[in-house]
Amino acid sequence: MHSIDPLAPPVSETGPIQQVLPSVRRPRQSAGMVVGVTAGIAVGVMAIIWVVAYLVGVLGVTGTVISGVVALMPLVAVLAVVRWVDRWEPEPFPLRVFSFLWGGGVSIVAALVVDDTLNRFGHEIGVTRDTFFAITVQSPVVEEVAKGVGVLIVFLIAQRTFDGPVDGVVYAATIAAGFAFVENIQYFGLALWNGGEADLAYTFYVRGILSPFAHLTFTSCTGIALGLAASGPRSVGRTILYFLGGLAVAILLHAGFNLGSSLNENGAFFFYLVVELPIFVVMAWFVLLARRRDAQLTYRALGLYARAGWLTAAEVDMLGTSAGRRQARHWARAHGPRASRAVRRFIRDATVLAYTRQRIESDHGRERAQRDELRLLQAVTDDRRAVIHH
């Protein structure tokens, strides 16, 4: 039954441990999201196949393999950061796969097609594009639009899981990681082909050590903007405004980075220290604040369910704080794989329940969110039982 407040959580009358809800299925992803993600992954796979064929045609099989192995090092570093950012509320794995394929496949194809089209058009009218224009205008605009559209697609098809700026950073950074990985393969391969190991080492120093998070920083501006749009009332006009604003910042940062990188070695290093590094630090600081906000939101929402009788105060501390989660995972590891799986499900479902409470209170799909809430309360109840009787 509900309390007088129509937006309050359902009240448990028999207490958290004994409570047994009517049999209700766990929340399922909408058919539209499943179809959209499946179609997107299929398109991404086809694009990746095309990109691999292109790289082999330019670099040869050996060059592609060697450059790919070298490019794995900055990729692992970037994905490790993304994984850490995503740790509090992990995003659905299929959406992360789609994001990576979009960045490494569709975005790369779009950039190559635009470049080839401009080359052909310029040749037909007898105009040669200036290198400065290509570096500071064409590349930033085309690449950030291509990557940004991928973030927008995720935002549109996964509105029940795209909750705020942290989610925007996760999806944008995953797309950027895919794009940078393929771009690095090409840069490393050309460096090896033209200058041998010395040029490859210098290129790796510039792209793999000095600036592995460059694309992540640019595209995250678009992700953060869409995350802010997701945090409030959603409308077409508001979404477009936030998307274009974030995209404009991403393009400007990308153009500035390319301009600095076009300088000599000393100039590029100076630009890295006084421009790129501070921007990355500010971005990291923002993500930390957003993660703290998400943790506070989770703790507050779970506290409401505790007062309604669904959870105990100890369970709120366990599920809604980083320290509590660490202790729960440590306990679960000592009790075997079954306990570990049960604790992971308990944490995951409780976190999704907290964000569902936010959707109810912000009037974002309230009726559907209230149905999800009932299903998630059943899931959390089942999860607790599994943890207790592991």
Side-chain angles (χ1 to χ4, degrees):
M1 61 180 288
H2 287 268
S3 61
I4 297 175
D5 183 358
L7 300 185
V11 176
S12 170
E13 296 181 343
T14 58
I17 301 301
Q18 295 79 18
Q19 173 68 23
V20 178
L21 290 173
S23 178
V24 186
R25 292 177 299 174
R26 289 173 179 262
R28 285 205 243 173
Q29 303 296 349
S30 66
M33 175 178 167
V34 173
V35 172
V37 173
T38 303
I41 289 177
V43 171
V45 168
M46 290 188 290
I48 286 290
I49 293 173
W50 190 92
V51 168
V52 170
Y54 165 80
L55 290 173
V56 170
V58 173
L59 305 175
V61 174
T62 302
T64 300
V65 171
I66 294 174
S67 301
V69 171
V70 177
L72 279 174
M73 287 182 270
L75 174 66
V76 169
V78 172
L79 290 182
V81 171
V82 175
R83 178 63 177 167
W84 177 84
V85 172
D86 194 35
R87 187 174 177 82
W88 185 261
E89 185 212 3
E91 299 305 310
F93 182 71
L95 282 172
R96 286 182 282 141
V97 171
F98 163 75
S99 298
F100 187 83
L101 292 175
W102 182 277
V106 178
S107 297
I108 292 290
V109 170
L112 291 173
V113 168
V114 170
D115 186 64
D116 183 68
T117 301
L118 290 177
N119 283 336
R120 291 176 182 271
F121 180 74
H123 179 73
E124 290 177 0
I125 64 175
V127 175
T128 302
R129 280 179 300 148
D130 184 76
T131 302
F132 183 79
F133 171 84
I135 291 175
T136 60
V137 178
Q138 178 188 321
S139 293
V141 172
V142 173
E143 293 175 8
E144 293 309 320
V145 168
K147 291 182 290 180
V149 168
V151 185
L152 180 62
I153 290 174
V154 175
F155 174 86
L156 294 175
I157 66 177
Q159 295 193 25
R160 294 166 76 177
T161 61
F162 201 125
D163 302 304
V166 173
D167 293 347
V169 169
V170 169
Y171 291 121
T174 304
I175 289 173
F179 186 93
F181 175 60
V182 174
E183 190 178 56
N184 281 341
I185 292 176
Q186 181 170 357
Y187 274 98
F188 294 161
L190 292 175
L192 182 63
W193 179 272
N194 295 323
E197 295 178 0
D199 273 12
L200 174 59
Y202 175 75
T203 304
F204 178 80
Y205 166 73
V206 172
R207 298 186 63 86
I209 296 178
L210 285 186
S211 58
F213 301 105
H215 278 287
L216 180 154
T217 303
F218 309 147
T219 312
S220 289
C221 295
T222 305
I224 289 172
L226 286 173
L228 292 173
S231 300
R234 299 195 184 187
S235 66
V236 174
R238 189 169 184 270
T239 298
I240 293 174
L241 180 64
Y242 275 82
F243 173 68
L244 292 179
L247 185 62
V249 175
I251 290 172
L252 288 175
L253 289 180
H254 196 154
F257 174 81
N258 283 5
L259 177 62
S261 300
S262 66
L263 304 174
N264 58 38
E265 181 177 346
N266 293 331
F269 185 72
F270 177 78
F271 182 86
Y272 166 78
L273 287 179
V274 302
V275 179
E276 184 190 350
L277 185 59
I279 290 174
F280 178 74
V281 169
V282 170
M283 184 76 68
W285 175 77
F286 178 85
V287 171
L288 284 173
L289 289 182
R291 270 195 49 161
R292 181 179 300 177
R293 170 191 168 275
D294 286 351
Q296 292 170 344
L297 180 153
T298 303
Y299 190 85
R300 184 194 70 84
L302 294 182
L304 294 177
Y305 291 110
R307 288 192 288 275
W310 296 104
L311 298 167
T312 66
E315 287 168 343
V316 173
D317 288 336
M318 183 187 80
L319 299 167
T321 65
S322 297
R325 291 183 174 192
R326 282 195 299 270
Q327 291 176 359
R329 293 189 182 102
H330 179 74
W331 172 88
R333 284 194 294 270
H335 288 77
R338 185 178 174 185
S340 294
R341 289 193 296 270
V343 167
R344 284 198 300 269
R345 285 196 302 270
F346 198 11
I347 293 173
R348 180 195 63 205
D349 289 338
T351 306
V352 176
L353 177 63
Y355 280 91
T356 301
R357 168 83 348 220
Q358 182 188 31
R359 287 166 51 207
I360 293 171
E361 295 177 352
S362 65
D363 196 19
H364 172 223
R366 179 173 293 163
E367 292 184 3
R368 184 172 64 180
Q370 287 177 320
R371 292 194 297 269
D372 289 344
E373 180 181 52
L374 292 176
R375 299 188 184 100
L376 285 162
L377 285 170
Q378 172 67 67
V380 168
T381 301
D382 292 342
D383 293 338
R384 182 200 297 107
R385 188 180 297 112
V387 171
I388 294 172
H389 302 293
H390 70 277

